Amino acid sequence: MRPFEGRRVLLGVTGGIASYKTAWLARLLAQAGAEVDVVLTKSAREFIGAVTFEALTGRPVHTELIAEGHALDHIKLARGASLMVVAPATADFLSRAAAGRSDDLLSACLLAASAPVLLVPAMNDRMWAHRATQENVAHLRSLGYTVLDPEAGPLASPHEGSGPGRMPEPERILAHVGRMLEAREALAGRRVLVTAGPTREALDPVRFLSNHSSGKMGVAIAEAAWRRGADVTLVAGPLSIVPPPDVRIVHVESTEQMAAAVRAELPNADVLVMAAAPADFRAKKVADGKIKKAQRPDSIALENTDDILATTLDARKKGAVIVGFALETDDVLKHAREKLAAKKLDLIVVNDAREAGAGFGVDTNRVTILSATAEPAELPLLSKHDTADAILDRVQEILNGR
Ligand code: CTP
C-alpha cells in the first residue's frame, strides 16, 4: 500500500515564484497515494496554471470562493481533509491568515479546516526578517499551525542575492507531510535517541583508527522516527552522508565522546537505537605530535574502548526500549543472541557482513531481528528506509505493551 493511500490533502498555492516547485510537490503527494485537492489564489494563477495541477493530480483545481452558483466549496474542501498544506505561503497570505481573513477561497478553507495545517513560507529574505512577518508567524504557530522556516540560499531573482526565504525542496515538505499524517498514532511525544556512524580513535594529531560505517542505517532510523512524530536526538560520529535537517544532532568523534553523549541523553529517552559502529580499540598512548615516516613504530599498543551499551545500563529510563545492532561474519545468530543477553537489549538487528547488499555503505540491508521474547524475524533485502520502518514497527509494539 502506498503511504498516503486513503488520505486527502488540501494543497493551497499562493502567488510566489516558488509555486513552480509546488507542482512537483503535488506530483509527489499523488504518487504517495494521496487525493490532492489544489486551491490556487488569484495571484498564484499569475505564476502557474490550473491545468498543470489538474494534470498532476487528476482532479479539478479550485480557485473561486463563489463558483458558478455553489458558495460552499470551502466547507466541502476543508471538511474531511486529512491535512492542509499551503506552499508557498507568501508574506501577504501569512498576514491574512494571522488576521483570520476569509475573503478568498484559500483563506476561507483555512478557517474552515479542522485538520492539521502546514504552512511553508517563501519570500524575499528582508520580507521574512521583517518584524511584522515574524509576529504573524509566531501568532500562527500559537494557533497550532506548523510553520516551516524557509531555507537560506540563493533567492529567485539574481538581484535578490541570498538569505533565508527560499521554499524548502518538495521532498523535504513531503517528509513533513508524512510526519503530520503519521504522527498521531505512532511515536508522537516519545523521545528517541539514535546513534549513527563510526567513531574515530586518534593515533596522533593526523591519523586515526575507524571503520567503514557510513551512518546510513542510523540516519534512516532517525528520519523514520521523526516522521512518526518522535522527538529525535541523533548522536553522530563522522557521517559520510548529509544528516537529516529536522532532528537534533550531537556530533562526536571518539567512542568515549559517544558514550558521554549517550549517557547524558539516556535518562530521558523512551527508545535507544544503537546503530553506530563505535571503534572498539584505541591506542594506549596517542602521540602528541605527528609520527614522522622515519619514526614508524613496528607496532602500536591498543586497548579496548568502553562498550557504550554495557556501560550505560544504569542511565536507562525505566521501561525504555533498547535496540542494538550486530555485524557478524561467523555464527551470526549465536553471537547476536549472546549480545542481546549481555547488553540487556529488547531487540538486536543482525547483519551478516559477508552478504551482498547488506551492511556498511550500501543503501540496502538484509537483516534478522532477534528479540528477547519472540521468534527471530528474517526480513527480505530492503532499502535502509524500509528496514528502519520495520525496526520501528517492532519498537512501537514493545513500547505500547509496556
Ligand atoms: N556497541 C557499543 N559500544 C561499543 C561497541 C559496540 O555500544 N564500544 C554497540 C553497537 O552500537 C551495537 C552493539 O553494541 O549496537 C553490537 O556491536 P558489535 O560491533 O556488533 O559488537 P561488539 O560488542 O563490538 O562485539 P564484537 O566486536 O565481539 O563483535
Side-chain angles (χ1 to χ4, degrees):
M1 195 172 118
R2 291 182 296 170
F4 300 165
E5 204 85 57
R7 310 300 191 111
R8 190 159 67 77
V9 175
L10 183 53
L11 177 60
V13 187
T14 69
I17 184 67
S19 56
Y20 78 92
K21 292 196 210 172
T22 310
W24 186 241
L25 175 63
R27 179 168 168 77
L28 293 176
L29 288 166
Q31 271 176 341
E35 278 184 3
V36 186
D37 280 325
V38 174
V39 173
L40 298 180
T41 61
K42 187 161 177 288
S43 55
R45 278 175 277 151
E46 306 279 339
F47 288 89
I48 191 157
V51 273
T52 304
F53 286 104
E54 270 168 9
L56 291 169
T57 62
R59 294 168 69 83
V61 165
H62 308 268
T63 54
E64 304 300 332
L65 189 55
I66 301 175
E68 288 165 19
H70 25 102
L72 293 175
D73 266 2
H74 59 292
I75 305 291
K76 257 193 279 161
L77 280 169
R79 192 190 300 138
S82 315
L83 184 77
M84 178 166 176
V85 184
V86 182
T90 57
D92 179 62
F93 180 78
L94 295 177
S95 115
R96 286 162 13 85
R101 297 281 293 270
S102 62
D103 52 359
D104 71 356
L105 181 58
L106 187 59
S107 53
C109 284
L110 190 65
L111 278 190
S114 55
V117 173
L118 174 64
L119 302 177
V120 191
M123 65 197 71
N124 164 276
D125 56 336
R126 295 175 69 143
M127 293 171 77
W128 171 251
H130 198 287
R131 254 184 58 202
T133 306
Q134 289 303 311
E135 281 171 13
N136 286 333
V137 168
H139 180 54
L140 289 163
R141 286 183 173 144
S142 78
L143 295 176
Y145 299 140
T146 301
V147 185
L148 293 192
D149 283 328
E151 291 182 351
L155 297 169
S157 129
H159 314 294
E160 280 182 305
S162 80
R166 273 167 68 90
M167 188 166 93
E169 293 307 313
E171 288 76 6
R172 178 133 183 258
I173 301 172
L174 188 78
H176 278 270
V177 169
R179 174 177 164 89
M180 292 176 76
L181 288 177
E182 282 180 48
R184 292 185 160 192
E185 58 264 29
L187 287 173
R190 301 291 197 164
R191 294 197 178 188
V192 175
L193 176 61
V194 184
T195 66
T199 59
R200 290 178 179 170
E201 299 299 337
L203 298 177
D204 70 10
V206 300
R207 301 184 179 91
F208 56 81
L209 290 173
S210 189
N211 58 60
H212 288 297
S213 168
S214 61
K216 283 182 181 169
M217 193 63 241
V219 165
I221 291 171
E223 279 171 340
W226 174 82
R227 269 202 321 275
R228 293 173 185 224
D231 175 357
V232 181
T233 301
L234 179 67
V235 176
L239 304 178
S240 336
I241 54 168
V242 183
D246 297 296
V247 310
R248 194 166 75 85
I249 301 192
V250 180
H251 290 284
V252 298
E253 184 95 9
S254 65
T255 299
E256 195 178 352
Q257 287 169 358
M258 185 173 275
V262 168
R263 174 169 282 283
E265 302 289 336
L266 205 47
N268 293 321
D270 299 298
V271 179
L272 166 65
V273 183
M274 263 310 282
D280 288 320
F281 322 114
R282 68 176 162 227
K284 267 194 174 158
K285 196 177 165 326
V286 180
D288 290 334
K290 181 185 172 195
I291 304 168
K292 302 295 287 176
K293 221 173 354 195
Q295 299 158 355
R296 173 186 51 77
D298 284 334
S299 61
I300 296 174
L302 299 176
E303 62 186 8
N304 282 5
T305 57
D306 277 346
D307 187 290
I308 299 173
L309 282 168
T311 56
T312 55
L313 291 175
D314 60 312
R316 292 179 186 177
K317 181 175 169 180
K318 197 165 171 287
V321 177
I322 312 291
V323 183
F325 275 70
L327 186 64
E328 306 287 350
T329 53
D330 305 286
D331 282 337
V332 176
L333 290 185
K334 176 172 167 284
H335 285 140
R337 270 200 197 93
E338 286 163 7
K339 286 179 190 168
L340 181 77
K343 303 190 189 208
K344 296 203 169 25
L345 307 174
D346 295 289
L347 297 173
I348 191 155
V349 183
V350 196
N351 284 124
D352 184 337
R354 298 203 176 147
E355 197 168 323
F360 286 156
V362 293
D363 291 323
T364 51
N365 216 350
R366 187 202 295 275
V367 302
T368 303
I369 304 179
L370 296 184
S371 90
T373 50
E375 288 294 300
E378 241 181 85
L379 304 188
L381 186 69
L382 294 173
S383 72
K384 285 190 172 168
H385 291 283
D386 290 342
T387 307
D389 273 321
I391 295 166
L392 289 181
D393 285 346
R394 283 178 180 70
V395 167
Q396 263 172 242
E397 267 169 40
I398 301 176
L399 212 48
N400 292 340
R402 287 203 169 145

